[in-house]
Amino acid sequence: MAIKNNGFATNCIHAGEITDQFGAPHTPIYDTTTFRFGSTADMMNVIEGRKSGYFYTRYGTNPSVMSVEAKLASLEHAEGALAFSSGMAAISATLLAHGGHGIICLGEVYGGTWELMTRQLPGLDRHTSFIAVNDLDELERLLTKKNSLVFFETPSNPLLEIADIPKICALAHTYGAKVAIDSTFATPVNQQPLSLGADIVIHSATKYLGGHSDLTGGVVAAADNMLEPMRIWRKNLGQVMAPDTAHLLARSLATLEVRVLRQNATAFHLASILQKHPLIKQVYYPGLASCCGYEIAKRQMQGFGGMVSVAIDGDADDAAKMVDNLRLFSIAASLGGVESLVSQPALTSHRDLSAEMRKSRGITDNLIRLSVGLETPIDLENDLMQSLSSI
């Protein structure tokens, strides 16, 4: 279904949907691996792009997959989108396709991304330079060396650093580099990087886009010419999203806006409460005026997200004690679901970094990351307060 010039929530529900012969209100699951043709000529017309159609699911030409891709493209105001088997599959295809002449990574990134950049990509002649999130002088120095891709997260995992998207994109484009942004923490509800100058936007669909902790997936949205080389990597590495996962993702996207808006509000409330608590040394949340990225976040975000990180006034044992005494926040490594989750980045997402590296990047043993869900806000507040009282 072609939907144009409609609101965000409308596109979440209607964009990309296929009307089938039986009148299903949403695109069914097409769980077939291959598709039949009436003639060799028909098959070749589809394969060679002279006619629209579906050929082979591993190639991504499956109605369920392509339907959710059209929906995702509409939410990011992109020409197109690709659905992957995981967020890391989406990131790896991006870096493999567009990082051949050097990658510049700004600020803190997810531990899996760091491991990929430092351990696997160098063996494939994709080399990464790491710099501070808003060190534009160093960025320009590296851009003069003809690096091809600038990559960053905003807000970042787990310290919620905010990068100035328009400023970084303008500088990168001056030197002919492309910009890829992992916008998982923000979601397209709160931030639309392509509209701010980025070339590629990436999401771990496992998180907020899926929203129910029951699917694993990744998304890349961009112009068609940027997607084409990533499509080839996806096909040949077998990274395409499965049809049943695409169907689950489409279901989840229908409620994306209402979920994220509620999570925004509750997270802001909890961050405001926590920053006043005597046992909290620092709260990381871009919606707080006390956070260093607040002014930038106000300019480029419509909401500040459902993630809150806190450094408690204590050591690793105190952090573990607080986490273990939470009742409504489940101890788990993921984020973005309807249920509230808690983790210690030093033990989960960033455990593969050395202790010295974690310390240098501000990922201390007393850091706790909260993924705020859809529970009644006062219940989550009470749970945090009783847990802090146990330290």
Side-chain angles (χ1 to χ4, degrees):
M1 180 186 294
I3 299 289
K4 294 183 179 180
N5 302 320
N6 280 324
F8 187 89
T10 301
N11 285 337
C12 282
I13 297 168
H14 294 288
E17 294 294 330
I18 296 173
T19 302
D20 79 338
Q21 60 181 316
F22 301 110
H26 302 292
T27 304
I29 304 174
Y30 291 86
D31 60 358
T32 54
T33 59
T34 193
F35 297 86
R36 295 183 297 186
F37 294 89
S39 68
T40 299
D42 284 344
M43 181 181 71
M44 295 310 298
N45 282 333
V46 169
I47 292 174
E48 295 177 358
R50 291 185 294 271
K51 179 182 177 182
S52 63
Y54 310 104
F55 173 63
Y56 194 59
T57 292
R58 179 173 64 82
Y59 287 27
T61 56
N62 175 288
S64 299
V65 176
M66 295 178 72
S67 171
V68 81
E69 287 176 341
K71 190 185 297 289
L72 290 159
S74 77
L75 300 184
E76 289 288 3
H77 301 295
E79 287 185 6
L82 296 177
F84 288 81
S85 55
S86 70
M88 284 306 304
I91 289 170
S92 64
T94 301
L95 300 180
L96 287 167
H98 295 290
H101 297 292
I103 302 161
I104 305 170
C105 180
L106 303 179
E108 186 53 51
V109 291
Y110 171 60
T113 306
W114 171 267
E115 186 176 8
L116 175 67
M117 288 176 166
T118 57
R119 297 184 184 180
Q120 281 79 49
L121 289 184
L124 299 173
D125 201 28
R126 268 73 173 171
H127 300 281
T128 306
S129 301
F130 296 90
I131 63 175
V133 66
N134 283 310
D135 188 347
L136 299 189
D137 290 338
E138 180 64 6
L139 173 60
E140 184 165 22
R141 187 187 71 80
L142 290 171
L143 286 168
T144 62
K145 298 184 177 182
K146 304 302 181 184
N147 285 281
S148 59
L149 186 69
V150 177
F151 178 95
F152 57 94
E153 300 176 4
T154 184
S156 70
N157 180 14
L159 297 178
L160 294 112
E161 293 177 318
I162 301 296
D164 192 323
I165 296 174
K167 188 175 290 188
I168 292 168
C169 291
L171 183 58
H173 293 158
T174 298
Y175 290 91
K178 303 300 183 183
V179 178
I181 297 175
D182 185 335
S183 194
T184 298
F185 273 29
T187 82
V189 177
N190 293 326
Q191 176 177 278
Q192 296 180 340
L194 300 183
S195 300
L196 296 168
D199 301 287
I200 300 166
V201 60
I202 303 167
H203 294 276
S204 170
T206 311
K207 314 304 192 297
Y208 287 101
L209 301 188
H212 297 78
S213 301
D214 59 3
L215 68 86
T216 301
V219 175
V220 174
D224 290 337
N225 67 318
M226 297 296 294
L227 293 176
E228 196 54 37
M230 290 184 267
R231 192 188 306 275
I232 296 169
W233 279 105
R234 182 183 71 165
K235 180 188 74 172
N236 291 332
L237 293 181
Q239 297 176 319
V240 73
M241 179 178 284
D244 56 339
T245 303
H247 185 266
L248 274 179
L249 179 56
R251 168 221 59 181
S252 297
L253 291 173
T255 61
L256 176 64
E257 185 175 54
V258 292
R259 287 188 285 107
V260 170
L261 291 178
R262 171 64 178 269
Q263 287 165 315
N264 286 349
T266 304
F268 177 77
H269 171 73
L270 295 178
S272 301
I273 295 295
L274 287 168
Q275 72 173 346
K276 300 173 185 175
H277 197 284
L279 291 179
I280 298 295
K281 291 179 66 175
Q282 187 166 356
V283 176
Y284 301 91
Y285 186 71
L288 296 179
S290 58
C291 287
C292 61
Y294 173 68
E295 293 298 330
I296 299 173
K298 277 201 309 180
R299 292 197 301 269
Q300 66 188 29
M301 300 182 75
Q302 291 76 54
F304 301 111
M307 300 300 299
V308 181
S309 290
V310 298
I312 67 167
D313 189 8
D315 56 17
D317 290 338
D318 293 318
K321 191 172 184 180
M322 177 189 169
V323 168
D324 291 346
N325 279 291
L326 286 165
R327 298 165 184 165
L328 292 178
F329 287 82
S330 298
I331 302 173
S334 194
L335 59 101
V338 296
E339 69 289 332
S340 291
L341 304 176
V342 60
S343 67
Q344 295 166 262
L347 303 179
T348 54
S349 61
H350 291 71
R351 66 172 299 169
D352 289 330
L353 275 65
S354 67
E356 294 76 16
M357 181 63 70
R358 287 196 300 270
K359 183 178 180 180
S360 70
R361 304 180 80 86
I363 303 170
T364 54
D365 291 341
N366 64 342
L367 183 69
I368 295 170
R369 192 188 73 183
L370 303 170
S371 173
V372 177
L374 297 181
E375 298 91 345
T376 304
I378 189 61
D379 292 335
L380 295 177
E381 179 184 340
N382 289 339
D383 191 28
L384 288 165
M385 293 304 106
Q386 67 81 22
S387 181
L388 282 166
S389 69
S390 69
I391 299 177

